[in-house]
Each structure stands twice: as structure tokens, then as C-alpha cells.
mmCIF file of all heavy atoms in Angstrom:
data_model
loop_
_atom_site.group_PDB
_atom_site.id
_atom_site.type_symbol
_atom_site.label_atom_id
_atom_site.label_comp_id
_atom_site.label_asym_id
_atom_site.label_seq_id
_atom_site.Cartn_x
_atom_site.Cartn_y
_atom_site.Cartn_z
ATOM 1 N N ALA A 1 -35.585 97.110 12.321
ATOM 2 C CA ALA A 1 -34.955 96.617 11.074
ATOM 3 C C ALA A 1 -34.564 95.123 11.229
ATOM 4 O O ALA A 1 -34.788 94.284 10.292
ATOM 5 C CB ALA A 1 -33.759 97.488 10.860
ATOM 6 N N LEU A 2 -34.016 94.775 12.384
ATOM 7 C CA LEU A 2 -33.597 93.364 12.591
ATOM 8 C C LEU A 2 -34.852 92.469 12.682
ATOM 9 O O LEU A 2 -34.775 91.247 12.319
ATOM 10 C CB LEU A 2 -32.725 93.251 13.764
ATOM 11 C CG LEU A 2 -31.256 93.780 13.568
ATOM 12 C CD1 LEU A 2 -30.518 93.790 14.856
ATOM 13 C CD2 LEU A 2 -30.571 92.955 12.487
ATOM 14 N N ALA A 3 -35.907 92.949 13.311
ATOM 15 C CA ALA A 3 -37.064 92.225 13.444
ATOM 16 C C ALA A 3 -37.704 91.814 12.078
ATOM 17 O O ALA A 3 -38.258 90.695 11.957
ATOM 18 C CB ALA A 3 -38.217 92.943 14.255
ATOM 19 N N ALA A 4 -37.430 92.556 11.037
ATOM 20 C CA ALA A 4 -37.905 92.267 9.727
ATOM 21 C C ALA A 4 -37.194 91.057 9.148
ATOM 22 O O ALA A 4 -37.777 90.313 8.367
ATOM 23 C CB ALA A 4 -37.666 93.503 8.733
ATOM 24 N N LEU A 5 -35.975 90.843 9.683
ATOM 25 C CA LEU A 5 -35.190 89.705 9.164
ATOM 26 C C LEU A 5 -35.376 88.453 10.180
ATOM 27 O O LEU A 5 -35.626 87.383 9.658
ATOM 28 C CB LEU A 5 -33.697 90.041 9.154
ATOM 29 C CG LEU A 5 -32.704 88.958 8.979
ATOM 30 C CD1 LEU A 5 -32.859 88.305 7.647
ATOM 31 C CD2 LEU A 5 -31.269 89.450 9.182
ATOM 32 N N LEU A 6 -35.291 88.751 11.462
ATOM 33 C CA LEU A 6 -35.086 87.643 12.409
ATOM 34 C C LEU A 6 -36.360 87.368 13.153
ATOM 35 O O LEU A 6 -36.404 86.382 13.905
ATOM 36 C CB LEU A 6 -33.918 87.889 13.360
ATOM 37 C CG LEU A 6 -32.636 88.232 12.773
ATOM 38 C CD1 LEU A 6 -31.624 88.591 13.838
ATOM 39 C CD2 LEU A 6 -32.098 87.105 11.842
ATOM 40 N N GLY A 7 -37.345 88.259 13.085
ATOM 41 C CA GLY A 7 -38.634 88.061 13.777
ATOM 42 C C GLY A 7 -38.592 88.901 14.974
ATOM 43 O O GLY A 7 -37.614 89.593 15.281
ATOM 44 N N ASP A 8 -39.619 88.876 15.713
ATOM 45 C CA ASP A 8 -39.763 89.689 16.929
ATOM 46 C C ASP A 8 -38.804 89.363 18.074
ATOM 47 O O ASP A 8 -38.602 90.187 18.937
ATOM 48 C CB ASP A 8 -41.188 89.629 17.471
ATOM 49 C CG ASP A 8 -42.266 90.160 16.568
ATOM 50 O OD1 ASP A 8 -41.925 90.991 15.713
ATOM 51 O OD2 ASP A 8 -43.464 89.744 16.711
ATOM 52 N N GLN A 9 -38.191 88.237 17.950
ATOM 53 C CA GLN A 9 -37.108 87.891 19.067
ATOM 54 C C GLN A 9 -35.770 88.529 18.753
ATOM 55 O O GLN A 9 -34.874 88.396 19.519
ATOM 56 C CB GLN A 9 -36.956 86.362 19.054
ATOM 57 C CG GLN A 9 -38.262 85.621 19.383
ATOM 58 C CD GLN A 9 -38.099 84.089 19.407
ATOM 59 O OE1 GLN A 9 -36.892 83.636 19.697
ATOM 60 N NE2 GLN A 9 -39.044 83.362 19.010
ATOM 61 N N ALA A 10 -35.630 89.273 17.606
ATOM 62 C CA ALA A 10 -34.299 89.832 17.262
ATOM 63 C C ALA A 10 -33.997 90.932 18.291
ATOM 64 O O ALA A 10 -34.868 91.656 18.791
ATOM 65 C CB ALA A 10 -34.436 90.390 15.915
ATOM 66 N N LYS A 11 -32.692 91.031 18.623
ATOM 67 C CA LYS A 11 -32.165 92.053 19.429
ATOM 68 C C LYS A 11 -31.452 93.080 18.656
ATOM 69 O O LYS A 11 -30.654 92.791 17.730
ATOM 70 C CB LYS A 11 -31.307 91.426 20.454
ATOM 71 C CG LYS A 11 -31.949 90.444 21.396
ATOM 72 C CD LYS A 11 -30.999 89.806 22.431
ATOM 73 C CE LYS A 11 -31.633 88.865 23.314
ATOM 74 N NZ LYS A 11 -30.717 88.279 24.268
ATOM 75 N N GLY A 12 -31.639 94.348 18.914
ATOM 76 C CA GLY A 12 -30.971 95.407 18.281
ATOM 77 C C GLY A 12 -29.533 95.427 18.610
ATOM 78 O O GLY A 12 -29.093 95.049 19.729
ATOM 79 N N LEU A 13 -28.648 95.979 17.819
ATOM 80 C CA LEU A 13 -27.204 96.084 18.071
ATOM 81 C C LEU A 13 -27.028 97.246 19.141
ATOM 82 O O LEU A 13 -27.736 98.175 18.976
ATOM 83 C CB LEU A 13 -26.482 96.371 16.866
ATOM 84 C CG LEU A 13 -26.420 95.274 15.817
ATOM 85 C CD1 LEU A 13 -25.607 95.770 14.515
ATOM 86 C CD2 LEU A 13 -25.772 94.089 16.331
ATOM 87 N N SER A 14 -26.181 97.069 20.070
ATOM 88 C CA SER A 14 -25.892 98.083 21.008
ATOM 89 C C SER A 14 -25.106 99.238 20.423
ATOM 90 O O SER A 14 -24.454 99.109 19.428
ATOM 91 C CB SER A 14 -25.045 97.552 22.204
ATOM 92 O OG SER A 14 -23.798 97.306 21.793
ATOM 93 N N ALA A 15 -25.147 100.328 21.183
ATOM 94 C CA ALA A 15 -24.412 101.541 20.790
ATOM 95 C C ALA A 15 -22.901 101.331 20.735
ATOM 96 O O ALA A 15 -22.225 101.762 19.810
ATOM 97 C CB ALA A 15 -24.692 102.758 21.712
ATOM 98 N N ASN A 16 -22.419 100.414 21.590
ATOM 99 C CA ASN A 16 -20.901 100.031 21.547
ATOM 100 C C ASN A 16 -20.612 99.238 20.285
ATOM 101 O O ASN A 16 -19.532 99.450 19.698
ATOM 102 C CB ASN A 16 -20.559 99.264 22.807
ATOM 103 C CG ASN A 16 -20.491 100.156 24.128
ATOM 104 O OD1 ASN A 16 -20.415 101.302 24.026
ATOM 105 N ND2 ASN A 16 -20.722 99.526 25.265
ATOM 106 N N THR A 17 -21.585 98.437 19.862
ATOM 107 C CA THR A 17 -21.319 97.698 18.686
ATOM 108 C C THR A 17 -21.179 98.555 17.418
ATOM 109 O O THR A 17 -20.367 98.376 16.639
ATOM 110 C CB THR A 17 -22.317 96.624 18.528
ATOM 111 O OG1 THR A 17 -22.347 95.742 19.695
ATOM 112 C CG2 THR A 17 -22.090 95.751 17.328
ATOM 113 N N ILE A 18 -22.141 99.431 17.400
ATOM 114 C CA ILE A 18 -22.218 100.469 16.347
ATOM 115 C C ILE A 18 -20.931 101.238 16.289
ATOM 116 O O ILE A 18 -20.357 101.559 15.201
ATOM 117 C CB ILE A 18 -23.414 101.382 16.427
ATOM 118 C CG1 ILE A 18 -24.755 100.527 16.390
ATOM 119 C CG2 ILE A 18 -23.398 102.467 15.312
ATOM 120 C CD1 ILE A 18 -24.822 99.846 15.067
ATOM 121 N N SER A 19 -20.446 101.646 17.425
ATOM 122 C CA SER A 19 -19.182 102.463 17.466
ATOM 123 C C SER A 19 -18.071 101.750 16.926
ATOM 124 O O SER A 19 -17.159 102.174 16.168
ATOM 125 C CB SER A 19 -18.895 102.794 18.971
ATOM 126 O OG SER A 19 -19.902 103.659 19.440
ATOM 127 N N ARG A 20 -17.963 100.369 17.193
ATOM 128 C CA ARG A 20 -16.923 99.520 16.656
ATOM 129 C C ARG A 20 -17.108 99.462 15.118
ATOM 130 O O ARG A 20 -16.095 99.425 14.421
ATOM 131 C CB ARG A 20 -16.927 98.161 17.305
ATOM 132 C CG ARG A 20 -16.568 98.172 18.742
ATOM 133 C CD ARG A 20 -16.553 96.701 19.367
ATOM 134 N NE ARG A 20 -16.163 96.730 20.699
ATOM 135 C CZ ARG A 20 -14.906 96.820 21.120
ATOM 136 N NH1 ARG A 20 -13.935 96.826 20.257
ATOM 137 N NH2 ARG A 20 -14.664 96.848 22.365
ATOM 138 N N LEU A 21 -18.266 99.239 14.651
ATOM 139 C CA LEU A 21 -18.515 99.201 13.172
ATOM 140 C C LEU A 21 -17.982 100.526 12.548
ATOM 141 O O LEU A 21 -17.520 100.420 11.411
ATOM 142 C CB LEU A 21 -19.996 98.895 13.016
ATOM 143 C CG LEU A 21 -20.437 97.461 13.238
ATOM 144 C CD1 LEU A 21 -21.947 97.289 13.077
ATOM 145 C CD2 LEU A 21 -19.709 96.449 12.397
ATOM 146 N N LYS A 22 -18.314 101.637 13.222
ATOM 147 C CA LYS A 22 -17.911 102.859 12.517
ATOM 148 C C LYS A 22 -16.421 102.915 12.418
ATOM 149 O O LYS A 22 -15.938 103.384 11.355
ATOM 150 C CB LYS A 22 -18.411 104.052 13.525
ATOM 151 C CG LYS A 22 -19.896 104.418 13.405
ATOM 152 C CD LYS A 22 -20.151 105.547 14.317
ATOM 153 C CE LYS A 22 -21.636 105.931 14.353
ATOM 154 N NZ LYS A 22 -22.001 106.983 15.232
ATOM 155 N N GLN A 23 -15.760 102.362 13.368
ATOM 156 C CA GLN A 23 -14.200 102.353 13.187
ATOM 157 C C GLN A 23 -13.867 101.483 12.008
ATOM 158 O O GLN A 23 -12.863 101.862 11.336
ATOM 159 C CB GLN A 23 -13.617 101.797 14.492
ATOM 160 C CG GLN A 23 -12.115 101.903 14.550
ATOM 161 C CD GLN A 23 -11.645 103.353 14.308
ATOM 162 O OE1 GLN A 23 -11.968 104.241 14.997
ATOM 163 N NE2 GLN A 23 -10.714 103.521 13.277
ATOM 164 N N HIS A 24 -14.522 100.307 11.861
ATOM 165 C CA HIS A 24 -14.332 99.489 10.566
ATOM 166 C C HIS A 24 -14.505 100.372 9.365
ATOM 167 O O HIS A 24 -13.657 100.212 8.412
ATOM 168 C CB HIS A 24 -15.149 98.307 10.613
ATOM 169 C CG HIS A 24 -14.741 97.111 11.520
ATOM 170 N ND1 HIS A 24 -13.486 96.642 11.513
ATOM 171 C CD2 HIS A 24 -15.366 96.634 12.627
ATOM 172 C CE1 HIS A 24 -13.353 95.703 12.444
ATOM 173 N NE2 HIS A 24 -14.511 95.642 13.076
ATOM 174 N N TRP A 25 -15.551 101.053 9.352
ATOM 175 C CA TRP A 25 -15.835 101.900 8.158
ATOM 176 C C TRP A 25 -14.824 102.950 7.881
ATOM 177 O O TRP A 25 -14.318 103.215 6.789
ATOM 178 C CB TRP A 25 -17.124 102.536 8.217
ATOM 179 C CG TRP A 25 -18.299 101.610 8.464
ATOM 180 C CD1 TRP A 25 -18.359 100.233 8.202
ATOM 181 C CD2 TRP A 25 -19.531 101.953 9.186
ATOM 182 N NE1 TRP A 25 -19.597 99.742 8.594
ATOM 183 C CE2 TRP A 25 -20.272 100.676 9.207
ATOM 184 C CE3 TRP A 25 -20.133 103.044 9.706
ATOM 185 C CZ2 TRP A 25 -21.478 100.610 9.865
ATOM 186 C CZ3 TRP A 25 -21.287 102.961 10.319
ATOM 187 C CH2 TRP A 25 -22.108 101.693 10.375
ATOM 188 N N ILE A 26 -14.262 103.515 8.932
ATOM 189 C CA ILE A 26 -13.194 104.535 8.887
ATOM 190 C C ILE A 26 -11.968 103.823 8.229
ATOM 191 O O ILE A 26 -11.300 104.408 7.333
ATOM 192 C CB ILE A 26 -12.845 105.163 10.206
ATOM 193 C CG1 ILE A 26 -14.003 105.992 10.687
ATOM 194 C CG2 ILE A 26 -11.524 105.941 10.232
ATOM 195 C CD1 ILE A 26 -13.955 106.612 12.032
ATOM 196 N N ASP A 27 -11.630 102.688 8.753
ATOM 197 C CA ASP A 27 -10.430 101.918 8.342
ATOM 198 C C ASP A 27 -10.693 101.520 6.841
ATOM 199 O O ASP A 27 -9.750 101.527 5.959
ATOM 200 C CB ASP A 27 -10.210 100.685 9.106
ATOM 201 C CG ASP A 27 -9.747 101.023 10.551
ATOM 202 O OD1 ASP A 27 -9.368 102.138 10.785
ATOM 203 O OD2 ASP A 27 -9.908 100.192 11.421
ATOM 204 N N ASP A 28 -11.859 101.143 6.406
ATOM 205 C CA ASP A 28 -12.169 100.780 5.098
ATOM 206 C C ASP A 28 -11.881 101.926 4.212
ATOM 207 O O ASP A 28 -11.266 101.840 3.068
ATOM 208 C CB ASP A 28 -13.647 100.291 4.959
ATOM 209 C CG ASP A 28 -13.934 98.992 5.429
ATOM 210 O OD1 ASP A 28 -12.846 98.217 5.701
ATOM 211 O OD2 ASP A 28 -15.106 98.535 5.613
ATOM 212 N N HIS A 29 -12.408 103.109 4.533
ATOM 213 C CA HIS A 29 -12.235 104.327 3.719
ATOM 214 C C HIS A 29 -10.727 104.696 3.627
ATOM 215 O O HIS A 29 -10.293 105.069 2.467
ATOM 216 C CB HIS A 29 -12.970 105.417 4.259
ATOM 217 C CG HIS A 29 -12.849 106.785 3.491
ATOM 218 N ND1 HIS A 29 -12.198 107.848 3.893
ATOM 219 C CD2 HIS A 29 -13.301 107.019 2.217
ATOM 220 C CE1 HIS A 29 -12.266 108.818 2.992
ATOM 221 N NE2 HIS A 29 -12.913 108.363 1.912
ATOM 222 N N ARG A 30 -9.974 104.554 4.664
ATOM 223 C CA ARG A 30 -8.568 104.900 4.576
ATOM 224 C C ARG A 30 -7.897 103.902 3.578
ATOM 225 O O ARG A 30 -7.006 104.458 2.764
ATOM 226 C CB ARG A 30 -7.896 104.683 5.956
ATOM 227 C CG ARG A 30 -8.280 105.785 6.961
ATOM 228 C CD ARG A 30 -7.761 105.494 8.338
ATOM 229 N NE ARG A 30 -8.033 106.538 9.284
ATOM 230 C CZ ARG A 30 -7.941 106.388 10.539
ATOM 231 N NH1 ARG A 30 -7.538 105.177 11.110
ATOM 232 N NH2 ARG A 30 -8.192 107.327 11.394
ATOM 233 N N ARG A 31 -8.195 102.634 3.686
ATOM 234 C CA ARG A 31 -7.538 101.728 2.708
ATOM 235 C C ARG A 31 -7.987 102.063 1.289
ATOM 236 O O ARG A 31 -7.208 101.963 0.305
ATOM 237 C CB ARG A 31 -7.991 100.263 3.014
ATOM 238 C CG ARG A 31 -7.173 99.741 4.286
ATOM 239 C CD ARG A 31 -7.439 98.227 4.468
ATOM 240 N NE ARG A 31 -8.885 97.931 4.756
ATOM 241 C CZ ARG A 31 -9.342 97.870 6.002
ATOM 242 N NH1 ARG A 31 -8.593 97.955 7.035
ATOM 243 N NH2 ARG A 31 -10.585 97.608 6.195
ATOM 244 N N TRP A 32 -9.271 102.380 1.041
ATOM 245 C CA TRP A 32 -9.750 102.682 -0.292
ATOM 246 C C TRP A 32 -9.073 103.853 -0.862
ATOM 247 O O TRP A 32 -8.756 103.920 -2.079
ATOM 248 C CB TRP A 32 -11.247 102.881 -0.222
ATOM 249 C CG TRP A 32 -11.905 103.229 -1.522
ATOM 250 C CD1 TRP A 32 -12.234 102.274 -2.495
ATOM 251 C CD2 TRP A 32 -12.388 104.520 -1.991
ATOM 252 N NE1 TRP A 32 -12.795 102.961 -3.559
ATOM 253 C CE2 TRP A 32 -12.961 104.218 -3.231
ATOM 254 C CE3 TRP A 32 -12.284 105.750 -1.527
ATOM 255 C CZ2 TRP A 32 -13.430 105.372 -4.089
ATOM 256 C CZ3 TRP A 32 -12.822 106.828 -2.242
ATOM 257 C CH2 TRP A 32 -13.372 106.570 -3.446
ATOM 258 N N CYS A 33 -8.767 104.850 -0.026
ATOM 259 C CA CYS A 33 -8.076 106.139 -0.485
ATOM 260 C C CYS A 33 -6.619 105.796 -0.921
ATOM 261 O O CYS A 33 -6.032 106.730 -1.467
ATOM 262 C CB CYS A 33 -8.154 107.158 0.656
ATOM 263 S SG CYS A 33 -9.812 107.859 0.849
ATOM 264 N N GLN A 34 -6.130 104.674 -0.525
ATOM 265 C CA GLN A 34 -4.650 104.357 -0.829
ATOM 266 C C GLN A 34 -4.631 103.352 -1.940
ATOM 267 O O GLN A 34 -3.535 102.905 -2.205
ATOM 268 C CB GLN A 34 -3.953 103.806 0.425
ATOM 269 C CG GLN A 34 -3.929 104.849 1.480
ATOM 270 C CD GLN A 34 -3.242 106.118 1.079
ATOM 271 O OE1 GLN A 34 -2.178 106.061 0.462
ATOM 272 N NE2 GLN A 34 -3.725 107.346 1.482
#
């Protein structure tokens, strides 16, 4: 997916980075619910 944007030199996001993003999404949903 990132190669489509940045070319073949693009590096995929790590699992740890995805985990952090998931926490951001959880926080976003909590705020939206309030």
C-alpha cells in the first residue's frame, strides 16, 4: 500500500506503530461518544 504512494523504497509500518495508532482510534471514539 505504501509502495503505491512512495515507490518501492517505502517501508511498511511496524506492528508496534499500528498498536499505537489503534490506541489513538480508541481515544478518538471515546471522545466522539461524549
Side-chain angles (χ1 to χ4, degrees):
L2 287 174
L5 168 65
L6 307 177
D8 294 337
Q9 300 178 30
K11 297 179 180 180
L13 295 176
S14 70
N16 286 338
T17 303
I18 297 299
S19 295
R20 292 183 179 278
L21 287 174
K22 285 181 181 178
Q23 186 59 51
H24 282 303
W25 303 334
I26 291 172
D27 294 340
D28 285 346
H29 180 247
R30 287 174 179 167
R31 286 190 293 268
W32 182 78
C33 286
Q34 298 302 316

